[in-house]
């Protein structure tokens, strides 16, 4: 068996060591132009040359949760694209989103500003029922986030492309349920995959449908958000703020208005990082299953984009 590794901006050696420990009899190496065709590939943002040369791949394992960049390439014929189901990212995402929601709900930003100014002052407690949270996208990460928020007794709405039933979550689905989902939510958490249908979905029309004083948390992809529309709704007061972990251009360019906007919290695409050991274990398990002719989870439908 031959396994090739082609991951942009990723230190290769720890991954190679883990894969070699899992498959001691396999040939495992970092891809170089002109390298022999492999059976399996572990990738992140590989160049088109890699795809063109590796025409015999059985499967490509993407080390991040999103596969949008990979699906922009011309893929080897017959090669399956396999995403990580979780690999330690779901709990990180739940931590990040719960922190952002609670920080906004409890107005900790106001307390921080007050303490810096030497002010000892209380704020009137807010009611959880006044802050329904809408989770847009109920895959592995979205479901974990929705369940975590419900543990803090927030009303939680969930929207997905196809119907899903989760205990304690008010479910909406499909285009017919989308506007109702937005209107029922004051905080909107975006966890959708990036596809042609979801690009620019966070725009003036959709965000204006949130309840007044709405709050946006985007932890999916920067291309979901129309940045000028967000800024306009913040300036108008319809939105109270936003926490953004993903951006159209990363790193966020110097001078971008998000850097210093008083109602935007920006973090450097760190809401859920790939955990190497967990990812290697999952990839190894799936390669083993494929070699035995067994079905695996996480196979991407290129037509849907996830």
């Amino acid at each position: 068996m031959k396994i090739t590794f082609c991951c942009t901006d990723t230190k290769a050696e720890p991954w190679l060591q883990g894969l070699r420990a899992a498959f001691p009899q396999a040939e495992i190496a970092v891809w170089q132009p002109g390298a022999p065709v492999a059976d399996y590939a572990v990738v992140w943002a590989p160049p088109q040359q890699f795809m063109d040369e590796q025409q015999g791949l059985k499967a490509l394992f993407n080390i991040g949760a999103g596969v949008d960049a990979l699906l922009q390439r011309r893929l080897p014929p017959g090669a399956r694209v396999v995403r990580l189901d979780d690999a330690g990212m779901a709990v990180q995402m739940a931590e990040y989103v719960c922190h952002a929601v609670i920080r906004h709900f409890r107005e900790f930003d106001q307390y921080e500003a007050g303490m810096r100014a030497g002010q000892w002052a209380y704020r009137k407690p807010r009611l959880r029922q006044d802050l329904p949270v809408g989770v847009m996208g109920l895959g592995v990460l979205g479901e974990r986030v929705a369940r975590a928020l419900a543990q803090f007794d927030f009303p939680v709405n969930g929207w997905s492309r196809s119907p899903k039933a989760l205990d304690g979550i008010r479910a909406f689905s499909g285009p017919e349920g989308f506007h109702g989902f937005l209107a029922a939510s004051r905080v909107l958490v975006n966890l959708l995959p990036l596809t042609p249908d979801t690009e620019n979905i966070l725009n003036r029309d959709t965000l204006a449908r949130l309840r007044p004083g709405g709050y946006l948390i985007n932890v999916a992809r920067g291309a979901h958000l129309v940045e000028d529309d967000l800024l306009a709704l913040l300036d108008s007061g319809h939105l109270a703020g936003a926490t953004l972990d993903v951006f159209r251009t990363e790193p966020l360019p110097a001078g971008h208005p998000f850097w210093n906007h008083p109602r935007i919290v920006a973090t450097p695409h760190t809401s859920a990082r790939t955990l190497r050991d967990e990812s290697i274990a999952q990839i190894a398990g799936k390669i083993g299953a494929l070699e035995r002719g067994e079905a695996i989870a996480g196979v991407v439908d290129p037509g849907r984009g996830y």
Side-chain angles (χ1 to χ4, degrees):
M1 183 197 305
K2 294 181 180 179
I3 301 174
T4 185
F5 183 87
C6 183
C7 296
T8 305
D9 299 327
T10 302
K11 188 175 181 180
E13 191 54 37
W15 286 85
L16 298 180
Q17 290 176 2
L19 290 167
R20 286 168 181 155
F23 297 105
Q25 305 303 317
E27 297 180 31
I28 302 172
V30 175
W31 175 79
Q32 299 293 338
V37 175
D39 299 296
Y40 300 100
V42 178
V43 300
W44 178 254
Q48 185 59 53
Q49 183 181 359
F50 172 85
M51 301 294 188
D52 294 340
E53 292 184 0
Q54 293 291 316
Q55 291 288 296
L57 287 172
K58 300 175 185 177
L60 299 98
F61 292 87
N62 195 59
I63 67 169
V67 296
D68 46 284
L70 188 57
L71 294 181
Q72 292 173 11
R73 304 281 190 251
R74 294 186 307 275
L75 299 173
R80 282 175 277 197
V81 174
V82 185
R83 57 173 172 75
L84 295 175
D85 300 322
D86 182 343
M89 287 186 284
V91 67
Q92 295 178 68
M93 191 65 79
E95 290 170 346
Y96 184 98
V97 172
C98 286
H99 174 271
V101 171
I102 292 168
R103 183 176 186 272
H104 172 62
F105 172 66
R106 294 290 300 274
E107 298 183 281
F108 285 143
D109 56 336
Q110 299 297 320
Y111 282 116
E112 291 165 6
M115 295 301 284
R116 285 195 296 269
Q119 299 171 351
W120 183 280
Y122 296 106
R123 302 185 66 81
K124 181 180 178 180
R126 299 201 281 185
L127 301 177
R128 280 173 171 75
Q129 59 261 38
D130 292 336
L131 202 80
V133 183
V135 178
M136 191 161 60
L138 294 175
V140 173
L141 302 184
E143 180 176 338
R144 182 65 178 268
V145 166
R147 292 188 187 280
L149 288 165
Q151 289 295 310
F152 289 100
D153 292 342
F154 290 106
V156 180
N157 305 313
W159 183 83
S160 54
R161 178 175 173 173
S162 55
K164 290 194 174 182
L166 301 176
D167 290 343
I169 311 300
R170 184 183 177 191
F172 298 80
S173 63
E176 66 280 3
F178 188 49
H179 288 171
F181 161 77
L182 294 170
S185 304
R186 179 161 281 124
V187 175
L188 180 63
V189 181
N190 178 39
L191 279 157
L192 291 173
L194 180 62
T195 70
D197 290 336
T198 65
E199 186 172 0
N200 298 322
I201 195 170
L202 301 174
N203 55 48
R204 186 185 298 266
D205 177 66
T206 55
L207 294 175
R209 293 177 186 274
L210 296 175
R211 295 186 183 184
Y215 195 90
L216 173 66
I217 301 171
N218 189 20
V219 287
R221 286 291 184 265
H224 284 125
L225 175 64
V226 180
E227 296 178 346
D228 287 343
D229 289 359
L230 171 62
L231 292 168
L233 288 168
L234 288 170
D235 292 343
S236 74
H238 183 75
L239 293 183
T243 293
L244 307 175
D245 187 54
V246 289
F247 308 91
R248 287 184 175 268
T249 302
E250 296 181 1
L252 190 64
H256 193 286
F258 287 173
W259 277 114
N260 296 309
H261 196 288
R263 285 185 281 175
I264 291 177
V265 176
T267 54
H269 204 143
T270 193
S271 55
R273 304 290 295 275
T274 300
L275 300 181
R276 186 178 60 246
D277 292 347
E278 287 85 343
S279 299
I280 291 171
Q282 186 177 130
I283 291 168
K286 290 186 176 184
I287 289 176
L290 290 174
E291 286 292 289
R292 295 188 298 272
E294 300 170 1
I296 60 171
V299 177
V300 173
D301 180 348
R304 293 198 307 176
Y306 58 92

